[in-house]
Structures are given as C-alpha cells and as structure tokens.
Amino acid sequence: MDQLTFPLEEKQIFLIGPAGKIEVKAASTELHNPKITVVICHPHPLFGGTMENKVVTTIFRTFKNMGAAVLRFNYRGVGKSEGQYDEAKGETDDLISVCNWVKTVIPNTELWLAGFSFGSYIAAHAAKQLQAMQLITIAPAVEHFNFDILDLPECPWLVLQGETDEIVPPELVYNWVEKNEQGQQKKQLKLITFPDTSHFFHGKLSNLKEVLENEYRKYFV
C-alpha cells in the first residue's frame, strides 16, 4: 500500500507502481507543503546503477540541505523494487508513478527532476508529461539513448558533464547541447563542464555539490 505522507527524516518507503512494489527513499525539511520536491533517477540498472549511487545521493543530500523535499527510488528489478528491466520504457513509467504519488501527498509542491547517466534519459523522457519546473541531467547518455525523439520539456534545463568522462563521450554531449541551443531550448538549456572529472565524479563530488548550490540556492531563500 502506498505511503500516505511524505516522510520528514530520510526513510525507506514502498509505493505501488506499474510492475509492483517500488523501493523509495525520501526526506523533507518541512513537514507540510515543501515548496520544491526533487525526484532523482539513478544510472543504468544492468550496469550496477541503484539509488545508492554516490552521484545520486550527493544530489539528494545537497537539495535536502537547501530546503527541498527529495526522493530517490530504485527502478523495477533493482534492490527491493519488483519487476524487471524494461529498456527505459518501464523505468520511465516507474518515475511517472512515483511523481504522481508526490503530487498526491504534497499537491502544491513544485516538481523538479534530476537524473544521472541513464537516469538523465528517464528524467528527460518524462519531464514534459510531468510538467517539471526544472530539469537537471548529469552525464546524459546521448550515445546510447536517442534524446532527439523525446518530446522535450520547455522548463529550464541544466546539463552537467565531466570533461574526462570515460563512459559518456563529452564531445557527443557538447554537440547535442549545441544542436538543441539552436532550437526551442535556446533560452532554457545551460551546459556546465567539470575539468578533470570522470563519469562517476570520483574525487569531484564536492564540486558537483558546489555547482548545484550556486545554481539553485536562490530558489530556497
């Protein structure tokens, strides 16, 4: 059965999704009606991606410390979530299900989406349908998933990319951003790069935290 309230302290909860139980960790600094809720999508489940990934937990803690309600979850077949990998379609459905629960228990919150690697595709895929107000994609997997076929959102969109990423070729991300800057995303899309930074931000998580704080702290004052 779905949790009826958003937890205050970080807590593991279980929601009912399209493929069964979804394992979630959520926390909020406000008991009632937090202004902003950030939902975070983890990397590829077939390559060890879970909601405990260090980039994901860094985003989670950074936004919680700034004053947001935050939520991360395991896709179907990961951790204690039921179901099996569904080539991004089912994982997008899981995200939509989680966000619909957020809108039910805190209906006046502003929904933001964040994703890392494969999770960037999941977040971008659902952002317009969910009417996300901000989209944050870290090392978006543009080589393996076709972002160009998505119904792209019109909200502000931040792309963060390590310059020495060994999994997602940085040049492909830069080219994708440049191409989309010429279209409808021109005023909304922003790229920030991280020198000497690998895919998993080894030794650079503090830099990621600092950039997120610099970009978004103004929304919480």
Side-chain angles (χ1 to χ4, degrees):
M1 183 175 181
D2 283 357
Q3 172 91 6
L4 298 178
T5 58
F6 203 101
L8 184 59
E9 297 301 326
E10 182 174 336
K11 181 181 178 182
Q12 178 193 52
I13 61 177
F14 292 93
L15 307 179
I16 301 301
K21 184 170 62 178
I22 300 177
E23 183 183 14
V24 168
K25 286 190 177 178
S28 177
T29 53
E30 296 184 37
L31 184 58
H32 300 292
N33 300 320
K35 177 182 177 182
I36 294 167
T37 300
V38 184
V39 177
I40 308 156
C41 301
H42 70 70
H44 205 298
L46 298 186
F47 299 95
T50 78
M51 67 177 174
E52 302 304 336
N53 170 272
K54 289 184 179 180
V55 172
V56 171
T57 57
T58 296
I59 301 168
F60 183 95
R61 291 173 185 140
T62 300
F63 276 107
K64 181 180 184 296
N65 290 340
M66 283 194 285
V70 286
L71 183 152
R72 64 190 195 268
F73 67 102
N74 278 330
Y75 308 128
R76 56 188 65 197
V78 179
K80 296 180 181 178
S81 293
E82 296 176 336
Q84 59 186 2
Y85 176 65
D86 192 30
E87 299 180 349
K89 181 182 183 301
E91 289 73 21
T92 302
D93 291 340
D94 294 340
L95 170 60
I96 291 169
S97 181
V98 166
C99 291
N100 286 341
W101 173 79
V102 169
K103 292 178 179 181
T104 297
V105 296
I106 39 176
N108 296 320
T109 196
E110 189 174 292
L111 180 66
W112 294 15
L113 297 179
F116 171 43
S117 196
F118 170 84
S120 290
Y121 181 79
I122 302 303
H125 194 180
K128 189 166 187 177
Q129 178 179 338
L130 291 169
Q131 298 181 314
M133 300 302 291
Q134 296 277 348
L135 178 61
I136 304 156
T137 54
I138 300 171
V142 297
E143 181 181 21
H144 301 291
F145 294 90
N146 189 357
F147 282 66
D148 292 331
I149 66 172
L150 301 180
D151 189 9
L152 297 178
E154 298 174 2
C155 64
W157 185 344
L158 180 64
V159 178
L160 305 177
Q161 179 62 48
E163 293 182 2
T164 55
D165 193 319
E166 71 283 15
I167 294 176
V168 173
E171 294 77 13
L172 295 184
V173 175
Y174 304 156
N175 292 341
W176 182 84
V177 169
E178 183 178 3
K179 179 175 66 175
N180 281 276
E181 282 178 332
Q182 308 307 315
Q184 64 178 354
Q185 292 294 324
K186 184 175 181 180
K187 295 181 180 179
Q188 303 291 350
L189 196 60
K190 180 177 181 178
L191 172 67
I192 296 177
T193 62
F194 293 76
D196 301 316
T197 301
S198 67
H199 185 69
F200 293 101
F201 283 71
H202 294 307
K204 303 289 185 176
L205 291 172
S206 60
N207 299 69
L208 174 60
K209 175 178 178 290
E210 181 180 4
V211 166
L212 291 173
E213 289 174 341
N214 289 341
E215 289 294 312
Y216 295 113
R217 186 174 292 283
K218 61 187 176 184
Y219 292 94
F220 298 94
V221 295

